[in-house]
Amino acid sequence: MKQHHILITPGDGIGPEVMTEVKKIISFLNTEHLTNITITERPIGGAAYDIHGVPVTDETIDIARKADCVLLGAVGGPQWDGVEYSLRPEAGLLKIRKDLDLFANLRPAIVFDALIQASTLKPDIVQGLDILIVRELTGGVYFGQPRGIFDLPNGERQGINTQVYTTSEIRRVGRVAFELARKRQGHVTSCEKANVMESGKLWREEMTKLQMEYPDVRLSHMYADNCAMQLLKNPRQFDVIVTDNLFGDILSDEASMLTGSLGMLPSASLGACDQNGHQNALYEPVHGSAPDIAGQGKANPLAAILSFAMALRFSLDLPAIADHIEASTRTILDNGIRTGDIMAAGCRMVSTSEMGDTLITELKRTQKKAVE
Ligand code: NAD
């Protein structure tokens, strides 16, 4: 069986708690000889700052580059609020994303039938929802030059950020979206503001050209503001949405709220494939370090576990095991097992570790069937 190597960076707050459950799942899969995964663990964020004086060390980045993928918990917390900006926990996360050149951020928004009441939209609008947002992560207005706050001769101050994209930046994230759509419903919606922004016009032109290489995938163009409205009006029209860094930031948060719970949302950030087929990748739950519930056994570990399922699918090429974890998650939710964040009347409330244990029991119960 192929050996895989994963770097785990648990981070701060509830990060270590939810990653403990991920490690339990990995250990179960290894014991059952379904995987052969070795793990290296390193601190990141505030945890790394407290030990090393930096939120991520060069050694950790080096291990991340060589690993099949990185699984991250979450970073941050009020105890590091006074730390200089470049050494804050969040700076560690930004550095690892930048150093690994993780340009494509994947955020699925899936509504589990058992949690349909958690959505703020009517059940008939969101039932069966399964959208994948691909956000460009390393370019655009968050990184473009010039930027800064400048003093003007007339005594005013001026804040500047620059939206800038090159054809290669657009095409590489576009490719990720088209490839993913091929494995899904075969539909890409590309969002920009080509009506008022030159970078949006270029984005639209490059996506149109790229689609010629993917004749089996349908391409729609949509202005980003219309996409924000359509996500609320008729979200099931979407399969894969691809968009830039700024619009992706907003649209992926909006789409995730259609599902109702932060504790259920996984994400992946992918880099380019090198000539040996190696692709840098980092998987993490969408939620933060939740200092308000840290250390109390209340955190929902499913977002971190579903992020690991994405790693099995995209980095370890083990889609059947990813399917098995996702199906088992559905089953335990259907059976009324809930952490506090998704609790509903008539359900049974469990702790972080009980949620992990229940999932493993379900994986065991259905394992034979899944492997067949
Ligand atoms: P948060 O996501 O940590 O928490 C928001 C709310 O959701 C809280 O009430 C929290 O208890 C709840 N919540 C979050 N995850 C949960 C889970 N798995 N189970 C149950 N409840 C959960 O966002 P915040 O409070 O704005 O930020 C807290 C810290 O996390 C800050 O330092 C922030 O910078 C950091 N942060 C980190 C990341 C990351 O590591 N990628 C992302 C967002 C925020």
Side-chain angles (χ1 to χ4, degrees):
M1 185 183 305
K2 189 168 176 205
Q3 187 170 4
H4 293 106
H5 178 225
I6 290 180
L7 170 65
I8 290 190
T9 51
D12 309 317
I14 61 168
E17 295 168 53
V18 297
M19 293 316 288
T20 295
E21 301 313 305
V22 172
K23 286 186 279 183
K24 273 165 45 178
I25 306 268
I26 293 174
S27 165
F28 162 74
L29 295 174
N30 280 345
T31 307
E32 297 295 319
H33 304 292
L34 297 170
T35 56
N36 180 5
I37 296 173
T38 57
I39 292 171
T40 301
E41 199 167 318
R42 289 290 181 274
I44 196 166
Y49 176 80
D50 288 347
I51 300 168
H52 302 292
V54 287
V56 62
T57 65
D58 291 341
E59 189 227 4
T60 301
I61 301 271
D62 198 41
I63 298 170
R65 272 209 190 90
K66 291 180 186 139
D68 287 296
C69 67
V70 182
L71 302 180
L72 184 134
V75 299
Q79 59 271 55
W80 299 286
D81 279 353
V83 174
E84 176 198 325
Y85 187 73
S86 65
L87 297 176
R88 297 263 297 256
E90 293 76 9
L93 183 51
L94 292 180
K95 181 168 163 55
I96 198 167
R97 282 180 184 157
K98 186 165 181 293
D99 286 4
L100 299 188
D101 200 13
L102 304 174
F103 63 85
N105 183 226
L106 278 47
R107 292 259 302 255
I110 295 169
V111 172
F112 291 91
D113 281 350
L115 299 182
I116 203 159
Q117 297 302 339
S119 175
T120 47
L121 295 193
K122 293 181 195 135
D124 58 312
I125 304 275
V126 291
Q127 187 162 34
L129 188 81
D130 181 358
I131 302 175
L132 181 61
I133 300 205
V134 180
R135 166 189 170 193
E136 200 291 325
L137 200 61
T138 53
V141 74
Y142 292 163
F143 295 96
Q145 293 291 341
R147 63 180 296 164
I149 299 177
F150 303 97
D151 291 321
L152 297 177
N154 66 0
E156 281 213 88
R157 294 203 302 155
Q158 185 181 49
I160 299 181
N161 293 92
T162 304
Q163 167 82 334
V164 53
Y165 273 108
T166 60
T167 49
S168 60
E169 283 175 319
I170 298 168
R171 291 177 72 84
R172 67 179 186 172
V173 73
R175 255 181 220 296
V176 172
F178 280 110
E179 294 287 345
L180 288 167
R182 262 190 177 157
K183 296 181 190 146
R184 294 170 48 96
Q185 304 304 312
H187 180 204
V188 169
T189 305
S190 170
C191 294
E192 26 58 14
K193 290 279 287 177
N195 49 342
V196 285
M197 295 170 76
E198 282 72 14
S199 58
K201 189 165 178 290
L202 183 71
W203 184 284
R204 186 173 283 222
E205 286 170 6
E206 289 305 318
M207 286 294 167
T208 304
K209 278 191 228 162
L210 196 58
Q211 195 264 336
M212 290 176 203
E213 294 177 33
Y214 298 88
D216 49 325
V217 178
R218 185 158 66 92
L219 173 67
S220 309
H221 299 285
M222 192 177 274
Y223 297 137
D225 47 343
N226 185 25
C227 182
M229 289 193 284
Q230 294 298 327
L231 277 171
L232 298 182
K233 194 173 169 213
N234 177 17
R236 278 187 308 215
Q237 71 184 281
F238 297 110
D239 175 23
V240 175
I241 295 175
V242 61
T243 188
D244 73 16
N245 203 343
L246 173 63
F247 297 139
D249 193 356
I250 296 162
L251 293 173
S252 60
D253 270 4
E254 184 189 352
S256 62
M257 278 304 101
L258 301 175
T259 70
S261 175
L262 209 48
M264 296 295 305
L265 298 169
S267 81
S269 300
L270 307 178
C273 273
D274 67 16
Q275 58 270 46
N276 304 318
H278 176 79
Q279 182 179 39
N280 289 332
L282 182 145
Y283 298 85
E284 58 181 318
V286 167
H287 62 72
S289 58
D292 53 331
I293 57 165
Q296 300 170 35
K298 290 181 178 169
N300 183 348
L302 291 176
I305 291 169
L306 292 171
S307 300
F308 170 57
M310 288 182 85
L312 288 164
R313 178 169 290 119
F314 296 126
S315 288
L316 309 190
D317 199 21
L318 295 168
I321 301 175
D323 288 346
H324 188 198
I325 290 175
E326 287 163 358
S328 300
T329 302
R330 270 177 211 283
T331 305
I332 63 173
L333 292 172
D334 288 344
N335 292 343
I337 304 300
R338 300 281 192 279
T339 41
D341 57 315
I342 50 173
M343 188 58 193
C347 293
R348 184 161 80 82
M349 186 137 110
V350 296
S351 66
T352 308
S353 65
E354 284 170 326
M355 182 60 102
D357 293 342
T358 310
L359 184 59
I360 290 172
T361 304
E362 179 58 21
L363 286 169
K364 272 186 193 153
R365 193 184 70 79
T366 46
Q367 180 201 336
K368 218 165 154 270
K369 223 166 64 190
V371 171
E372 280 161 7

